[in-house]
Amino acid sequence: MKTLRWALAPFAAFWLLPSCSSQAADFDLVGQEVIRLLQNGHYARMEFDQKMSERIFDDYIHDLDPSRIYFVQGDIDEFSTKYRSKVVDLIISNEAKEVARLNISMAEVIHRRYQERVKERVEAIKALLKDGKFTFESDAAIMRDREEAPWPEDSAAANTVVKLQLEAGLLSEQIRRDDIEARAKEQGKESPLKDELPAREKLAQRYERFLQGIEKADAEDVANYFLSAVAHSQDPHTEYFSARESEQFNVDISNKLVGIGALLRAEDDGATKIEGIVNNGPADKAGELQLGDRVIAVDSLNDGNWTDIMFLTIDKVVEKIRGEENTEVALKVEPADGAAGETRVIVIGREPVDMKEELTAAEIFVYKNGDQEIKLGVVKIPQFYFDRDDRSRNVSVHVEQLVERLKKEGIDGLALDIRGNGGGSLDEVRRMTGFFNGSRSSVVQIKQTGGQTESLNAGFRKPLYDGPLVVWTDKGSASASEILAGALQDYHRGVIVGSASTFGKGTVQQILPIGRYLPVWSDRNRAGGLKLTIQKYYRPSGSSTQNDGVVPDVHLPAITDVLEVGEAYARHALEHDVIPPASRFKPLPKDNLPISELTKRSEERLKDSKDFQYVREDMTRVKKRIDENSISLNKVKRQAETEENETRRKARNRERRERFKAIGEADKKSFSIYRLTLDDLQKETLPIVNHDEDDQRHMRRAKDDIGDLDDTPEWPSGIDAVKREGLQVLRDLISLKKP
């Protein structure tokens, strides 16, 4: 369960938006409409038969209890007999109202049992934390991943599993604290744990917060859990969105919000802490809300009607805070600088919040070699965002503006950084690909349910930039990012540099507001939405990116290469396949890019790179840990593991400090870095990058005393090993393509 929520970051955020009606929809009707839309609109047109019923049931149970520690075998047997083969019939039956309504009541019955089991386990945990004795001397171990574990036979067996889980958690917490205390002592700093509760009390709070979140689930939450399982039965990217999630999704894809401009985090004791404040945002301008303040109640309309938010899930807290532009919200906070028990009421007017941190930006690296200069442009594209109401805020417009300025600055080569870019608008990536390929090219092929294919062109008349080009990818590059990387690779237009492959999402989704399809007499306000997979897409060469992703031309080892991350590991992922190349697919000559020589040079550097040597060592350890799937409950063994890790960390840090110092000095002599954001476009001279100041330009954040104990040396010039090698590949490309 995530506890940190941005008021400003896409795909990981709950933005402060206008709130919606609190009246619940008729989720029986919503469920029937979801099934109908899936039957008639999903790309795969799967049969909603007994097999599908079993899949939905299994997914619902899995989503509630993925580690198999709350439900017992008797629960699973009982619910399987009643519902497993009948889920679809119960949802779509029209025989009688009481039968038709069983779809949501079935979910409610299962969820109530889940609540009961969670309460049983948490009560057992709290009793153990209060009176239990843990010696950490046995040779027992627990599974890291319990997805394939058998269900506990009964509550006693479940409590035994939970006791072992608790013992592992308590041991991990004690070892963590010992490590923090040791680091603080070594560095001559005051312990950041001086005000922290004892480990047992801290864990008790954590479990209590989890229990409270489960017990306070409303009808919308229960429907969301169940209908999400119904949607995910088709493929990983067909999703049901609750009303809250629908609003959040709209913010994510537009990078636009109205709110107070704060980063919130759930605290174990039930409060919500202010972790960050946007510079020049509403809260910042009001001046009263401070970093570290703890919100305990919210008056959404500032009319005297307070809501106690203690132990509310973070998304519900944000929903209480959000509202319309030019309205006010009142927060009751425990001030960070106040006395124990002191509270203060702070009123903040809601306004549009500038999300510059999540917009596309660029850098220019100017390398000097005697009297010669080489200029490299790097454009970081965090996602393919778009604004339905204001096209000037679309990502392709921003990239176009940045590339034009980079050309004006006389760059010799360009890198597109789409690492961690999870996708976005198909129209935006089509237009953007045309910046480098021109309109003559097919960007992507779209395949419909019936097998018909359509080739979509770039939508940009002539190339905006035709110089040397590389694209940096990783396992987090998905969907639209894979369209861009795949098209540039197919046309031999750009060199792809990154981890073993991109994510592997090769499907297209459409958002359907469920309320639009409900009867006119029904309440449509909080019916939610369905993100429906309607097409598959293929590269111009005909290969799907589904499951396989885009394999780089120049591979840089990464931990994700050995993790089960990506579409191929997702439940119910559609298959990879290949169709004929697009009719207008005419790639540049293959020797347009010296891939062999670039790979050879990169491999030679990586062979001698200490940083990539460390990555390979870590990959081996991570793979071994995954395969073993075991966590020891013996303190001596765990301390030995910790000491081994700490010895390795210190040795690496010693080596890196010496090496990084030399690299940093060499960097000062060999290149300079200039910042280019959308705010810098009209500046006559671009500013030099200052990492300390730039990190605080958009948001100031709460001090992290524990994080400050991390003495790992910072990357020279702020450039990590992957980015440094990516820049070197671009420099090689420039030198090899020169006449």
Side-chain angles (χ1 to χ4, degrees), residues 241-286:
F241 288 158
S242 68
R244 293 186 197 100
E245 292 168 335
S246 294
E247 292 173 347
Q248 183 60 41
F249 183 81
N250 289 334
V251 171
D252 290 342
I253 62 175
S254 66
N255 257 359
K256 182 173 65 175
L257 68 93
V258 173
I260 67 170
L263 174 64
L264 310 178
R265 185 171 75 177
E267 294 283 276
D268 289 332
D269 66 357
T272 298
K273 189 176 182 179
I274 304 299
E275 284 288 303
I277 296 177
V278 178
N279 295 327
N280 297 316
D284 185 35
K285 288 187 288 187

Side-chain angles (χ1 to χ4, degrees), residues 664-677:
E665 292 299 321
D667 286 351
K668 291 177 184 178
K669 298 175 182 177
S670 58
F671 65 81
S672 301
I673 313 174
Y674 296 86
R675 190 188 76 215
L676 175 57
T677 67

Side-chain angles (χ1 to χ4, degrees), residues 91 241 243 305 315 326 519 550 656 669 682 733:
I91 296 175
F241 288 158
N305 293 313
D315 57 326
N326 299 323
V550 176
R656 278 175 164 155
K669 298 175 182 177
Q682 304 307 318
L733 178 62

Side-chain angles (χ1 to χ4, degrees), residues 108-144:
E108 290 169 346
V109 167
I110 295 175
H111 195 272
R112 275 197 299 272
R113 183 72 58 83
Y114 174 63
Q115 289 175 319
E116 293 169 5
R117 296 307 189 199
V118 169
K119 186 172 184 178
E120 287 177 12
R121 307 293 170 260
V122 172
E123 292 299 327
I125 286 169
K126 290 197 294 191
L128 287 165
L129 287 170
K130 182 179 179 182
D131 301 317
K133 291 182 172 56
F134 299 95
T135 64
F136 309 118
E137 295 176 352
S138 74
D139 290 326
I142 64 169
M143 299 169 66
R144 287 183 183 275

Side-chain angles (χ1 to χ4, degrees), residues 58-68 70-71 107 110-115 118 151 210 214 221-222 225-226:
D58 292 344
D59 284 356
Y60 181 49
I61 295 294
H62 174 276
D63 292 345
L64 289 176
D65 190 4
S67 296
R68 299 191 173 195
Y70 297 111
F71 288 126
I110 295 175
H111 195 272
R112 275 197 299 272
R113 183 72 58 83
Y114 174 63
Q115 289 175 319
V118 169
W151 292 101
F210 173 66
I214 298 299
D221 293 324
V222 176
Y225 299 146
F226 175 64

